[in-house]
């Protein structure tokens, strides 16, 4: 039920009816004020459970994982709320996290993140949850990455550096 | 989206940002951090020459070698000039402790714990608070000091110092350090001569490690490098991956992975074998440490003793060493006291019994298979190829210190270390891992050894004033439910009396009249006047009459040392405390000066002079005062071979200017003067020539007490009958976890941390969970005769069948409600980690918790 309620709230954000214009803007724009890139990262029919697919978001220097979990996830997309995407970089010291047995684990110092719980760092040395990437799925099953929540390790802004 | 408010960017400090050195406020490891502060609107740029880090952020940092500067390493504060400032607190790349800028999940969020009225830390105490009826009113410091001083003086004059009681921090890091430990010591010991003073996490003024100190071996005798040089590392009752995280990750792990060979070559003999370290973990649980060590690929042994049996395990391992002659006779004869060894041999090694007999009994008592006992002893002490001595580092912590007969447990492990010569040589050491940091500078305690139990004294109706300083006994005291109940009754009795008229509620208005009424009340009601001095309004504060707001880490300078290297550094001040809050030493000085004046006015110069000299203006004044008081006659111009005879935390000659100059490198205590040059030098290992802290320099032995099946802990033994075990079928232990530090005084206010551990929890084995119908997240009511509490169940193979393990000090229910009142008569230290309980299933989980909290196993690294 709670998931459905949040979905409605998100829909209302999408419809632009949120009362707070600053928050509404933040939902659509990167820290530098540009719109978050909308990137197609896969299609529902191609996703196999617990088989992560790599992509980059919001730019090519930021690797990420798209994965269909075995159960519903916080902010999960899709009919079973089990499709999620996260930064693939550990928030501790920047090593690439691996998806093993329904959680992300860092090979360097063993920080572990729960993808069903907002990337919560439930064990290890990382202070920050794994940044989660919001997904939208259209009628054709195409999965779009639409926005980042949380700061990717090693950067001072998720927004791509302007050159 | 997200369960808490995330950031997608952090501002860079500008090149001219104010920068400071500090050390993490939390655990024993003492990671170095750099602090940058700059006014709002003045952020630096991404180019390396445009920010204070001097790093190029136009492209991402490189894993491991780059700088971690994450969401939780930045926050915004307001200074007393009314302007907003940014604070960045990042791991120090030049620290010898958190190598490569490593950091833990706790230290990584130091910045978010800074005080701001615009964030959750707004709940920091801002003003002195006086209980008026059922509310707290803010009052000026002068009035708070007047009231506290007058009540103290009234109790002292009428009843003597034995009716003054206190619980105080005795540690370094946040809420401690030389300045603050000296401030309390000068007032409570020199000034008030209070022997009813207990320590933050235990009932009396005891050492947790008299079992080793009485042998002449201080518990912090090794240096962090020893974890990189050891052949074998023993972690005994120490879940280091979660409680000394960066020590494990940055020093032990590389050794387990064989990555410290080059460093070993500098210390090992040319033909001495070297390889990746092996690890022995001794813990009833399959902790995260056990499986993290295994994941490195290293050889790992895991011994799982029954609760409260560890000293018999240590003795059995020592017997194996004795039987197999794995000791070094020359070392024993030259550096240990062979007269007391006879007692050790008879009582601990039980050399008069057959080896078979003793090992069989040890297996029965501890539950550890004999073959494992023998193998672990062999790993610790066997000669390497070529006849070289094994280099073994034995570290223990609360699983040992909070054990049954903890004095004997610490002694037995210390003696296993001495028997195997695991001390003084590079790659060795036998000591504690540490909980907090250290930073102890106090005049002598005016009470006996072992000390009285202050918790029981106060709850039994003794003491008129109870001053709780920088600790939270409503979560941390043993047998907590009774403690809270009795203190609550006594403080409430006084509160009711303060209404001048029984039919009305009005209380005296002036501080002098109120103090007189309080003194009248504690006499007539046997009530208790409770003063709480802290940075937050703690659980204990709910029954306080007076609350004194303290400054925290970063809001005043402090000097502390870590546990793995005794590394002394200055923790600099980089911001203002909230409201009128003041450093602890300053609060004690104000009250000391007022007492001095009151006694001077009384014409009692013999008393007033005990408070003289507390006219400190700064932390550095306190440090100078402490140095003069404690070390005026100490000769520290000695070589390293004599270091064992010095105060292990001694800092003679050290000033803030000196510490600022050496920065993150710090200096290892005891600080000595080079005999030739007179320059200040540090001390790597305490006993490099095996000269111990005894009159003859020899390690002294002790024969441990005969095994009694826990009978001397009557409050636990009462459950160890067939009926008791039926009514209370589970063993119950408790301890820390990775996410929250101690009482979670900070983390409970940080959404991302509180959402991870929102409830007190118990670990339960899959077998028990299945038998009782529990799934992870289901709520359980747990009780015994001492107390009860409700915990979320966490199903995990960490605990064996028939045992529960609880997070120790959760703000929604302390595990201590269930702990027994037993203390070791040798030390007055409790056995927090073992009692019996019953479990009852409640109606299921809390749905909101299930939705946002991970219940994945924290000890499974795949």
């Amino acid at each position: 039920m709670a998931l459905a309620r949040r979905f409605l709230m998100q829909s209302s954000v999408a419809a632009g009816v949120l009362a707070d214009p600053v928050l509404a803007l933040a939902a659509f724009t990167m820290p530098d004020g540009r719109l978050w890139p909308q990137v197609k990262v896969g299609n529902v029919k191609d996703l196999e459970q617990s088989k992560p697919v790599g992509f980059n978001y919001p730019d090519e220097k930021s690797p990420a994982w798209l994965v269909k979990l075995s159960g519903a996830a916080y902010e999960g997309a899709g009919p079973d709320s089990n499709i999620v995407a996260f930064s693939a970089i550990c928030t501790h010291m920047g090593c690439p996290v691996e998806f093993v047995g329904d959680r992300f684990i860092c090979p360097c110092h063993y920080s572990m993140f729960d993808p069903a719980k907002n990337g919560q760092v439930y064990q290890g040395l990382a202070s920050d949850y794994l940044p989660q990437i919001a997904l939208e799925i259209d009628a054709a099953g195409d999965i779009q990455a639409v926005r980042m929540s949380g700061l990717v390790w090693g950067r001072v802004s998720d927004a791509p550096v302007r050159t | 989206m997200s369960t808490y408010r995330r950031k997608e960017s952090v501002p860079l400090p500008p090149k001219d940002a104010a920068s400071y050195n500090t050390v993490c406020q939390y655990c024993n490891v003492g990671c170095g951090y750099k602090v940058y502060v700059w006014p709002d609107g003045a952020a630096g740029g991404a180019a390396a020459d445009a920010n204070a880090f001097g790093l190029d952020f136009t492209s991402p940092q490189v894993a491991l070698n780059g700088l971690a500067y994450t969401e939780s390493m930045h926050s915004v504060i307001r200074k007393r000039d009314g302007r907003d400032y940014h604070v960045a607190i990042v791991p120090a790349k030049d620290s010898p402790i958190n190598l490569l800028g490593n950091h833990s999940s706790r230290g990584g969020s130091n910045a978010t714990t800074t005080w701001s009225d615009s964030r959750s830390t707004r709940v920091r105490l801002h003003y002195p608070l006086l209980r008026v009826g059922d509310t707290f009113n803010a009052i000026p410091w002068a009035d708070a000091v007047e009231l506290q001083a007058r009540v103290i003086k009234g109790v002292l004059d009428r009843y003597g110092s034995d009716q003054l009681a206190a619980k105080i921090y005795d540690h370094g890091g946040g809420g401690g350090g030389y300045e603050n430990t000296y401030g309390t010591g000068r007032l409570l010991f020199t000034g008030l001569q209070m022997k009813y003073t207990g320590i933050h996490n235990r009932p009396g003024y005891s050492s947790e490690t008299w079992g080793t100190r009485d042998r002449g071996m201080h518990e912090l005798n090794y240096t962090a490098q020893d974890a990189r040089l050891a052949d074998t590392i023993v972690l005994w009752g120490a879940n280091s991956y979660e409680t000394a995280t960066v020590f494990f990750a940055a020093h032990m792990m590389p050794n387990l992975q064989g990555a410290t060979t080059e460093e070993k070559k500098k210390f090992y003999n040319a033909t001495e074998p070297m390889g990746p370290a092996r690890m022995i973990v001794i813990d009833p649980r399959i902790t995260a440490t056990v499986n993290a060590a295994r994941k490195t690929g290293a050889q790992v042994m895991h011994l799982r003793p029954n609760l409260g049996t560890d000293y018999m395990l240590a003795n059995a391992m020592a017997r194996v060493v004795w039987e197999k002659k794995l000791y070094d006779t020359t070392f024993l004869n030259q550096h240990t006291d062979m007269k007391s060894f006879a007692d050790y041999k008879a009582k601990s090694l039980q050399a008069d019994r057959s080896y078979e007999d003793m090992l069989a009994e040890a297996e029965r008592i501890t539950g550890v298979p004999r073959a494992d006992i023998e193998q672990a002893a062999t790993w610790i002490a066997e000669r390497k190829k070529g006849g070289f001595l094994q280099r073994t580092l034995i570290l223990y912590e609360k699983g040992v210190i909070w054990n049954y007969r903890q004095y004997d447990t610490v002694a037995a492990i210390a003696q296993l270390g001495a028997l195997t010569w695991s001390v003084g040589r590079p790659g060795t050491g036998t000591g504690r891992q540490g909980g907090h940091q250290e930073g102890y500078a106090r005049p002598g305690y005016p009470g006996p050894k072992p000390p009285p139990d202050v918790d029981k004294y106060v709850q039994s109706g003794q003491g008129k004033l109870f001053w709780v300083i920088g600790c939270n006994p409503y979560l941390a005291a043993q047998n907590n439910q009774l403690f809270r109940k009795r203190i609550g009754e006594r403080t409430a009795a006084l509160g009711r009396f303060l209404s001048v008229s029984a039919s009305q509620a009005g209380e005296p208005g002036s501080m002098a009249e109120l103090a007189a009424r309080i003194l009248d009340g504690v006499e007539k009601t046997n009530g208790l006047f409770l003063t709480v001095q802290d940075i937050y309004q703690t659980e204990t504060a709910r029954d306080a009459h007076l609350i004194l707001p303290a400054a925290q880490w970063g809001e005043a300078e402090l000097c502390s040392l870590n546990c793995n290297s005794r590394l002394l550094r200055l923790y600099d001040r980089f911001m203002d405390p909230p409201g009128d809050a003041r450093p602890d030493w300053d609060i004690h000085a104000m009250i000391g000066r007022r007492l001095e004046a009151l006694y001077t006015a009384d014409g009692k110069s013999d008393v007033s002079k005990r408070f003289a000299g507390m006219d400190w203006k700064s932390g550095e004044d306190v440090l100078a005062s402490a140095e003069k008081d404690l070390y005026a006659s100490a000769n520290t111009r000695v070589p390293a071979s004599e270091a064992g005879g010095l105060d292990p935390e001694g800092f003679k000659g050290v000033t803030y200017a000196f510490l600022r100059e050496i920065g993150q490198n710090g200096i290892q205590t005891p600080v000595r003067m080079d005999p030739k040059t007179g320059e200040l030098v540090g001390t790597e290992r305490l006993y490099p020539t095996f000269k111990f802290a005894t009159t003859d320099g020899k390690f002294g032995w002790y024969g441990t007490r005969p095994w009694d099946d826990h009978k001397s802990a009557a409050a636990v033994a009462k459950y160890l009958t067939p009926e008791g075990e039926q009514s209370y079928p589970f063993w119950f232990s408790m301890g820390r976890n990775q996410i929250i530090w101690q009482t979670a005084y900070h983390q409970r206010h940080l959404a991302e941390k509180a959402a991870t551990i929102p409830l007190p929890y118990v670990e339960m084995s899959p077998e028990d969970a299945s038998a009782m119908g529990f799934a992870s997240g289901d709520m359980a009511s747990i009780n015994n005769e001492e107390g009860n509490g409700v915990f979320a169940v966490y199903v995990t193979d960490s605990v064996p069948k028939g045992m529960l393990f609880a997070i120790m000090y959760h703000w929604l229910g302390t595990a201590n409600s269930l702990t027994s009142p037993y203390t070791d008569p040798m030390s007055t230290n409790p056995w927090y980690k073992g009692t019996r309980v019953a479990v009852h299933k409640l109606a299921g989980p809390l749905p909101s918790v299930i939705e946002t909290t991970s219940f994945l196993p924290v000890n499974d690294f795949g």
Side-chain angles (χ1 to χ4, degrees):
Chain A
M1 288 302 105
L3 286 170
R5 199 163 56 241
R6 252 198 321 279
F7 179 72
L8 282 175
M9 282 182 65
Q10 277 178 39
S11 301
S12 60
V13 172
V17 291
L18 194 72
D20 185 334
V22 176
L23 277 181
L25 191 66
F28 290 109
T29 60
M30 296 190 291
D32 66 356
R34 289 181 290 171
L35 292 174
W36 288 105
Q38 313 289 297
V39 178
K40 185 189 165 189
V41 296
N43 189 285
V44 171
K45 67 177 177 354
D46 300 327
L47 274 184
E48 285 182 62
Q49 187 187 305
S50 303
K51 296 244 172 91
V53 177
F55 67 102
N56 295 321
Y57 190 85
D59 58 43
E60 74 285 355
K61 289 180 177 170
S62 177
W65 288 118
L66 172 72
V67 64
K68 184 160 93 174
L69 302 173
S70 59
Y74 185 87
E75 303 290 357
D80 300 320
S81 301
N82 62 346
I83 300 172
V84 290
F86 287 91
S87 165
I89 301 178
C90 180
T91 56
H92 175 228
M93 292 178 79
C95 297
V97 296
E98 298 161 355
F99 184 83
V100 186
D102 264 8
R103 86 286 209 212
F104 291 106
I105 177 165
C106 177
C108 288
H109 305 98
Y110 314 150
S111 289
M112 296 195 288
F113 305 85
D114 190 340
K117 300 290 188 286
N118 197 212
Q120 188 167 79
V121 50
Y122 64 93
Q123 175 60 293
L125 289 79
S127 289
D128 299 279
Y129 294 12
L130 214 51
Q132 188 163 4
I133 297 162
L135 303 173
E136 285 178 3
I137 299 174
D138 65 19
D142 281 345
I143 305 167
Q144 300 269 340
V146 299
R147 132 180 121 253
M148 185 68 95
S149 170
L151 179 63
V152 175
W153 190 91
R155 306 165 69 120
V156 289
S157 173
D158 285 336
V161 172
R162 288 187 228 217
T163 49
Chain B
M1 65 188 273
S2 93
T3 54
Y4 66 103
R5 188 163 181 183
R6 302 293 298 258
K7 300 173 191 166
E8 285 73 39
S9 66
V10 286
L12 281 162
K15 281 186 76 169
D16 61 350
S19 71
Y20 308 87
N21 271 310
T22 192
V23 177
C24 182
Q25 61 188 312
Y26 299 117
C27 88
N28 56 86
V29 180
C31 296
Y33 281 83
K34 299 268 187 197
V35 183
Y36 299 87
V37 181
W38 68 97
D40 190 28
D49 61 0
N51 65 69
F53 297 144
L55 294 172
D56 178 11
F57 276 89
T58 60
S59 60
Q61 293 290 294
V62 177
L64 297 178
N65 288 310
L67 177 74
Y69 177 40
T70 71
E71 290 171 63
S72 52
M73 293 180 185
H74 166 264
S75 64
V76 177
I77 58 168
R78 177 160 290 197
K79 289 199 189 182
R80 288 200 170 129
D81 64 8
R83 295 182 66 186
D84 284 340
Y85 289 80
H86 294 261
V87 177
I89 306 181
V90 298
K93 286 284 198 181
D94 54 347
S95 168
I97 302 302
N98 44 321
L99 304 168
L100 290 176
N102 212 319
H103 63 277
S104 75
S105 71
R106 301 172 298 281
S109 50
N110 275 322
T112 60
T113 69
T114 55
W115 157 71
S116 165
D117 282 337
S118 300
R119 288 183 280 112
S120 55
T121 51
R122 73 177 67 86
V123 296
R124 282 282 304 281
L125 288 167
H126 286 51
Y127 320 110
L129 297 175
L130 174 69
R131 177 183 290 281
V132 177
D134 59 355
T135 59
F136 288 106
N137 289 179
I139 58 172
W141 268 113
D143 294 291
V145 168
E146 185 70 19
L147 182 65
Q148 181 74 355
R150 281 183 179 273
V151 175
I152 288 172
K153 182 172 183 297
V155 172
L156 192 60
D157 290 349
R158 184 161 182 176
Y159 309 100
S161 61
D162 282 0
Q163 289 302 313
L164 296 171
K167 296 273 280 192
I168 61 179
Y169 51 76
D170 82 331
H171 52 73
Y178 290 147
E179 294 83 349
N180 293 316
T181 55
Y182 187 72
T184 49
R186 185 68 178 271
L187 179 60
L188 272 56
F189 293 172
T190 310
L192 298 168
Q193 301 177 346
M194 289 169 59
K195 75 166 179 267
Y196 288 96
T197 298
I199 291 177
H200 58 273
N201 65 351
R202 51 197 189 267
Y205 208 79
S206 57
S207 165
E208 291 180 313
T209 50
W210 272 326
T212 188
R213 288 188 187 180
D214 289 351
R215 315 278 78 76
M217 188 164 80
H218 190 268
E219 65 274 16
L220 302 179
N221 51 58
Y222 59 100
T223 188
Q225 188 179 45
D226 292 323
R228 308 195 298 273
L229 298 180
D231 294 306
T232 302
I233 300 173
V234 182
L235 297 177
W236 200 319
N239 180 13
S240 308
Y241 184 75
E242 300 197 68
T243 65
T245 310
V246 172
F247 188 32
F248 185 89
H251 299 270
M252 298 181 203
M253 261 176 74
N255 192 1
L256 295 172
Q257 291 163 328
T260 61
T261 309
E262 287 307 310
E263 196 171 6
K264 285 182 178 179
K265 283 180 187 164
K266 293 181 202 152
F267 292 87
Y268 279 42
N269 291 293
T271 56
E272 184 179 350
M274 64 181 74
R278 311 180 284 199
M279 181 168 270
I280 303 170
V281 182
I282 302 175
D283 197 305
R285 296 191 298 146
I286 305 171
T287 57
T289 301
V290 174
N291 285 340
R294 289 201 162 123
K295 192 172 168 71
T296 64
Q299 291 186 73
V300 178
M301 277 196 77
H302 181 203
L303 275 53
R304 307 181 74 180
N306 294 325
L307 292 182
T309 66
D310 293 63
Y311 82 88
M312 296 309 290
L313 179 61
N315 284 343
M317 286 161 67
R319 179 65 190 269
V320 175
V321 172
W322 184 248
E323 201 70 19
K324 295 180 186 290
K325 296 191 167 43
L326 300 177
Y327 51 87
D328 184 285
T329 310
T330 311
F331 172 77
L332 291 184
N333 284 327
Q334 285 188 1
H335 300 295
T336 79
D337 171 39
M338 294 312 284
K339 276 197 236 81
S340 53
F341 188 80
D343 198 38
Y344 174 66
K345 192 172 154 185
K347 294 175 181 161
S348 296
L349 299 179
Q350 301 181 46
D352 297 337
R353 277 177 84 181
S354 83
Y355 177 71
E356 300 296 322
D357 228 31
M358 182 175 176
L359 271 283
E361 191 194 34
E363 179 172 312
R364 178 187 68 76
I365 292 168
T366 65
V368 178
R370 171 184 161 159
D372 285 358
I373 297 173
E374 290 180 313
Q375 191 184 338
T378 306
W379 276 22
I380 289 170
E382 69 184 338
R383 294 294 182 279
K384 297 195 277 186
K385 204 173 167 192
F388 292 101
L389 286 168
Q390 191 73 212
R391 297 175 190 265
T392 299
L393 177 64
I394 304 174
L395 300 177
Y396 54 85
E397 196 40 48
K398 289 295 188 291
V400 164
I401 288 165
W402 287 356
N403 209 303
Y404 177 58
R405 286 182 168 163
Q406 71 88 224
Y407 182 95
D408 287 24
T409 313
V410 171
I413 297 171
Q415 295 179 132
L416 177 63
L419 187 66
T420 57
W421 201 354
S422 302
V423 62
R425 298 182 293 122
T428 73
T430 301
R432 67 182 287 193
Q433 168 201 282
H436 290 88
Q437 294 157 32
E438 301 300 322
Y440 184 92
R442 277 205 182 117
Y445 165 64
K449 176 190 173 186
D453 184 323
V454 175
D455 297 349
K456 291 189 184 70
Y457 184 73
V458 176
Q459 73 195 37
S460 73
Q462 293 294 315
K464 304 294 183 194
L465 176 141
F466 191 28
W467 192 354
V468 173
I469 302 169
C471 58
N472 190 357
Y474 272 25
L475 298 184
Q478 64 179 152
N479 197 13
N480 204 279
Q481 199 151 320
L482 184 68
F483 179 80
R484 299 195 306 270
K485 187 174 174 179
R486 293 284 174 257
I487 304 300
E489 287 165 357
R490 294 192 63 204
T491 53
L494 174 63
R496 282 193 297 276
F497 181 85
L498 293 182
S499 303
V500 176
S501 151
S503 63
Q504 294 296 330
E507 297 173 4
S510 83
M511 291 303 140
E513 286 172 47
L514 181 58
R517 182 77 184 164
I518 288 165
L519 290 164
D520 198 18
V522 294
E523 169 67 22
K524 289 186 174 145
T525 67
N526 196 28
L528 184 68
F529 181 76
L530 176 63
T531 300
V532 168
Q533 177 173 324
D534 214 307
I535 61 173
Y536 288 107
Q537 200 158 341
T538 62
E539 282 73 16
T540 310
R542 71 170 173 251
D543 285 333
H545 298 98
L546 183 64
I547 301 175
L548 305 175
Q552 74 149 340
W553 173 89
E555 296 164 357
E557 297 92 345
L558 65 91
C559 295
S560 290
L561 43 132
N562 71 357
C563 292
N564 55 58
S565 298
R566 286 164 281 101
L567 188 67
L568 170 62
R569 287 155 294 178
L570 175 69
Y571 301 43
D572 224 334
R573 177 188 199 279
F574 56 83
M575 64 179 289
D576 296 318
D580 291 327
R582 301 175 79 140
D584 286 289
W585 59 258
D586 197 14
I587 298 170
H588 295 122
M590 287 192 291
I591 293 166
R593 289 197 298 269
R594 187 65 194 130
L595 283 163
E596 184 184 8
L598 288 171
Y599 277 106
T600 302
D602 270 8
K604 293 182 176 170
S605 62
D606 56 324
V607 184
S608 70
K609 72 181 181 196
R610 303 203 307 245
F611 305 100
M614 297 180 77
D615 49 354
W616 308 310
K617 299 281 185 296
S618 68
E620 186 148 33
D621 286 352
V622 188
L623 192 73
S625 197
E627 184 194 29
K628 191 171 153 209
D629 190 0
L630 305 177
Y631 303 120
S633 62
N635 176 25
T636 58
R637 193 161 184 161
V638 296
S641 57
E642 302 297 315
L646 301 176
D647 175 354
E649 300 190 29
F651 58 91
K652 188 172 184 177
V654 167
T655 60
Y656 281 9
F658 172 77
L659 291 175
R660 284 207 170 94
E661 193 175 318
I662 60 176
Q664 289 293 342
N665 288 328
I667 187 164
Q668 290 181 273
T669 65
V671 176
R672 292 175 292 114
M673 289 169 78
D674 185 279
K676 289 192 189 115
T677 65
E679 283 176 10
L680 296 181
V681 288
T683 304
E684 269 192 304
R685 295 176 186 86
L686 279 191
Y687 311 112
T689 57
F690 322 113
K691 186 171 178 184
F692 295 97
T694 51
T695 46
D696 62 0
K698 291 185 174 180
F699 181 93
W701 300 91
Y702 160 77
T704 48
R705 286 164 276 183
W707 183 247
D708 74 345
D709 291 321
H710 298 130
K711 284 197 180 61
S712 78
V716 179
K718 74 187 177 206
Y719 297 124
L720 304 177
T721 63
E723 308 78 56
E725 289 181 0
Q726 196 172 8
S727 304
Y728 300 98
F730 287 90
W731 277 104
F732 181 85
S733 188
M734 50 84 105
R736 272 182 52 200
N737 79 357
Q738 183 78 269
I739 310 291
I740 58 182
W741 169 249
Q742 312 298 47
T743 60
Y745 51 89
H746 279 322
Q747 284 94 4
R748 65 174 79 174
H749 303 298
L750 306 178
E752 62 275 32
K753 306 296 181 189
T756 313
I757 314 288
L759 299 170
Y761 67 82
V762 289
E763 295 181 350
M764 180 185 280
S765 73
E767 298 93 319
D768 289 325
S770 166
M772 297 189 73
F774 277 107
S776 278
D778 285 345
M779 302 298 281
S781 172
I782 297 179
N783 72 298
N784 61 16
E785 291 178 15
E786 279 69 42
N788 45 300
V790 175
F791 297 79
V793 166
Y794 187 110
V795 181
T796 168
D797 69 357
S798 166
V799 283
K801 182 173 181 292
M803 185 191 292
L804 304 174
F805 175 90
I807 183 77
M808 64 186 194
Y809 297 158
H810 200 280
W811 58 100
L812 289 180
T814 174
N816 272 319
S817 290
L818 295 140
T819 52
S820 85
Y822 162 83
T823 60
D824 184 346
M826 294 284 286
S827 63
T828 323
N829 287 328
W831 177 21
Y832 290 105
K833 295 217 182 219
T835 188
R836 302 281 298 190
V837 297
V839 177
H840 312 269
K841 191 166 184 281
L842 297 185
L846 298 178
S848 64
V849 169
I850 290 292
E851 196 184 335
T852 53
T853 296
S854 179
F855 282 90
L856 293 176
V858 301
N859 67 346
D860 178 2
F861 299 100

